[in-house]
Amino acid sequence: MKDVIIIGSGPAGALCAIYLKRYGLDIELIEKSFVGGQAAVTSEIENYLGFPVIDGAEFSFNISKQLKKMETKPIKDDIVSVELLGDVKKIIGKKNEYFSKAVVIATGARRRKLGVKGEEEFFGRGVSYCATCDGNFYRNKVVAVAGGGNTALEEALFLSGICQKVYLIHRREDFRGYLWLSEKVREKENIELLLSSEITEIKGDDRVSKIVVSGKGEIDVSAVFVAIGTIPNSEIFDLEKTSNGEIITDNKMSCSEKGVFACGDVRNTVMKQIITAAADGAIAAESAMKYLMEK
Ligand code: NAP
């Protein structure tokens, strides 16, 4: 029986774990894939205090080092269900079952899919949800990015540095992302904007070779990077949620169930940023510690 189990080791979960260790609590940090979450696959981070600019992979490596220094080794497991009622929380993974007095949910969010023909079929063969992970495979090739938020703008910029040409395809005329970022995109000669346009089909033989774009017809591309927002990883938690599936918390990160806290992109946060996720993690740790003290 642990004091606190933290599910997810992105910036929110990792910082929560570090704070809880500093409070002297007995914790378990459980992670399905890798430390750092979405931050790990970000090309450059330039809005985290203390780092004028840092590569996402390096940032995540630093988180791992910091966890190690705090004698916290994340357990690899994929949590498939939870029992959160009452004083003992049961966390069920594919490998093991875990028990704790409090739980912090820091499971983040995953990329939304376009839902068009060819997307599933060509996943891993030209369809990608991460430009920093897969962009290098398409060096000097022509690629497309779908989306109009900060992620799409950042991915288009990153790809413009290594690809011959990038089509940025957005369903409206105005971008949702920051103005300064969209201006940077507009300045790039090898980024062609296809606005008020949507990808309606992804085609190819063995790999992606074409996309069909509304109002433009078929365009030859070697890859499509889908960056049209995220879906919170909250399905397994039977807690109060927004209509988008974000777990509802108060400003102390407390959820609708006693002893359960949520932090980062999985909750109804007003800003989905690394720095706000980390701050959420610190607050969740403080709240979990106080909850245990009051018991
Ligand atoms: P987002 O801000 O929600 O933007 C998603 C984009 O995809 C929107 O432009 C949306 O179009 C479009 N879209 C949604 N569904 C679509 C569909 N079915 N077909 C075509 N287009 C579709 O998502 P995000 O860019 O992943 O960013 C998520 C959060 O992280 C945001 O809060 C963002 O500010 C933050 N973020 C921050 C940074 C940074 O600070 N540097 C970097 C990355 C992300 P509409 O505009 O028409 O709705």
Side-chain angles (χ1 to χ4, degrees):
M1 168 79 94
K2 295 284 175 185
D3 290 326
V4 187
I5 287 176
I6 306 127
I7 312 173
S9 69
L15 194 66
C16 182
I18 288 165
Y19 268 66
L20 290 168
K21 280 296 272 196
R22 293 182 80 229
Y23 294 145
L25 294 175
D26 186 18
I27 65 159
E28 199 78 88
L29 175 61
I30 305 175
E31 170 57 54
K32 176 166 85 165
S33 45
F34 47 82
V35 169
Q38 294 176 82
V41 293
T42 301
S43 52
E44 278 184 350
I45 298 160
E46 53 179 26
N47 54 356
Y48 198 93
L49 190 67
F51 297 90
V53 62
I54 186 163
D55 173 77
E58 189 187 348
F59 181 77
S60 302
F61 181 64
N62 287 345
I63 294 176
S64 293
K65 280 206 295 197
Q66 206 171 353
L67 285 170
K68 199 171 172 192
K69 187 169 165 267
M70 300 302 289
E71 293 169 358
T72 302
K73 190 174 189 301
I75 286 189
K76 268 232 177 320
D77 204 348
D78 185 0
I79 303 306
V80 288
S81 68
V82 290
E83 291 172 21
L84 301 175
L85 288 178
D87 287 342
V88 177
K89 318 294 183 193
K90 186 175 177 185
I91 311 296
I92 303 153
K94 283 188 178 163
K95 292 185 191 161
N96 239 318
E97 290 181 353
Y98 311 86
F99 297 88
S100 62
K101 297 173 197 163
V103 172
V104 176
I105 302 165
T107 46
R110 62 182 182 278
R111 288 284 181 93
R112 180 178 286 129
K113 295 191 172 168
L114 276 170
V116 299
K117 194 168 172 228
E119 185 179 19
E120 295 283 340
E121 183 188 346
F122 291 110
F123 172 64
R125 293 184 293 132
V127 172
S128 168
Y129 299 87
C130 176
T132 43
C133 317
D134 301 328
N136 210 33
F137 296 124
Y138 305 98
R139 203 165 263 277
N140 303 321
K141 301 264 170 68
V142 178
V143 301
V145 175
N150 284 323
T151 306
L153 293 169
E154 283 185 353
E155 296 207 338
L157 278 174
F158 168 73
L159 291 165
S160 73
I162 55 174
C163 297
Q164 186 194 331
K165 179 171 181 168
V166 180
Y167 289 101
L168 178 55
I169 303 163
H170 177 38
R171 65 183 177 184
R172 289 187 298 124
E173 284 296 307
D174 300 320
F175 289 111
R176 182 178 291 273
Y178 299 133
L179 185 63
W180 63 269
L181 208 47
S182 62
E183 280 170 357
K184 258 171 125 174
V185 163
R186 286 178 199 277
E187 282 164 15
K188 289 279 173 190
E189 279 181 7
N190 67 340
I191 300 181
E192 183 173 338
L193 304 180
L194 301 181
L195 302 176
S196 299
S197 302
E198 286 184 74
I199 297 175
T200 55
E201 190 177 344
I202 300 168
K203 292 181 165 181
D205 292 319
D206 184 35
R207 304 189 60 82
V208 168
S209 61
K210 281 180 188 3
I211 48 174
V212 184
V213 179
S214 58
K216 313 276 185 229
E218 286 191 350
I219 297 176
D220 290 344
V221 294
S222 301
V224 184
F225 293 89
V226 181
I228 60 162
T230 57
I231 297 171
N233 294 317
S234 64
E235 287 85 348
I236 61 167
F237 305 104
D238 190 13
L239 296 162
E240 276 179 26
K241 293 176 200 166
T242 65
S243 55
N244 295 331
E246 295 159 328
I247 296 172
I248 297 174
T249 71
D250 62 14
N251 61 7
K252 292 181 177 147
M253 308 300 139
S254 301
C255 302
S256 52
E257 194 55 52
K258 279 205 174 89
V260 182
F261 307 87
C263 49
D265 286 7
V266 73
R267 77 170 192 98
N268 57 332
T269 172
V270 290
M271 267 181 109
K272 288 186 168 59
Q273 304 267 310
I274 301 169
I275 198 141
T276 50
D280 274 9
I283 296 168
E286 173 86 0
S287 301
M289 184 266 287
K290 283 188 175 155
Y291 168 79
L292 294 174
M293 274 174 63
E294 284 161 12
K295 281 204 76 61

